[in-house]
Amino acid sequence: MAGNHGRILLVEDDPTLAGPMVDLLLAEDYEVDGPYASVSDGMAALASQFPDGAVVDLHRPSQGASLLKDDLEAYAIPFLDGEENGTGALERRLLPWLRHMHH
């Protein structure tokens, strides 16, 4: 079922974080596309259907992560980058980011 606030692409390679993020996004009335545990799966999902926003939080080194972020920027899709300030910071930043994106 589509969420009223739009669809969020979730690329998260840590399953212990992916589940709670999905729950949080659903609770905030977003449709979740994912979680995808790899950059290639996330890029395939992006190519299939553009989301309203994205959360990219990759803990394992990936050369393709910058390509995914570049694509999101090129298509003017707002995204929250979990690599910027660490995992704890991502969880604290997610709700404010969603509220800012929605308005």
Side-chain angles (χ1 to χ4, degrees):
M1 173 182 266
N4 288 333
H5 290 149
R7 193 168 60 83
I8 302 294
L9 172 67
L10 176 59
V11 182
E12 169 60 71
D13 60 2
D14 183 342
T16 63
L17 297 174
M21 275 198 251
V22 168
D23 293 342
L24 181 65
L25 290 165
L26 292 174
E28 291 294 316
D29 205 22
Y30 286 89
E31 178 184 355
V32 180
D33 184 4
Y36 298 100
S38 72
V39 171
S40 60
D41 289 345
M43 290 184 78
L46 177 62
S48 173
Q49 183 180 5
F50 284 179
D52 298 297
V55 176
V56 179
D57 188 28
L58 299 167
H59 304 276
R60 292 185 294 262
S62 172
Q63 295 176 346
S66 63
L67 295 174
L68 175 59
K69 294 172 195 176
D70 289 347
D71 283 354
L72 291 166
E73 287 178 353
Y75 293 110
I77 298 169
F79 69 95
L80 183 60
D81 186 353
E83 293 179 346
E84 288 179 357
N85 295 311
T87 301
L90 174 67
E91 292 170 351
R92 287 190 303 276
R93 292 174 20 232
L94 184 57
L95 283 177
W97 177 79
L98 289 170
R99 290 185 183 117
H100 175 75
M101 188 186 82
H102 181 64
H103 295 292

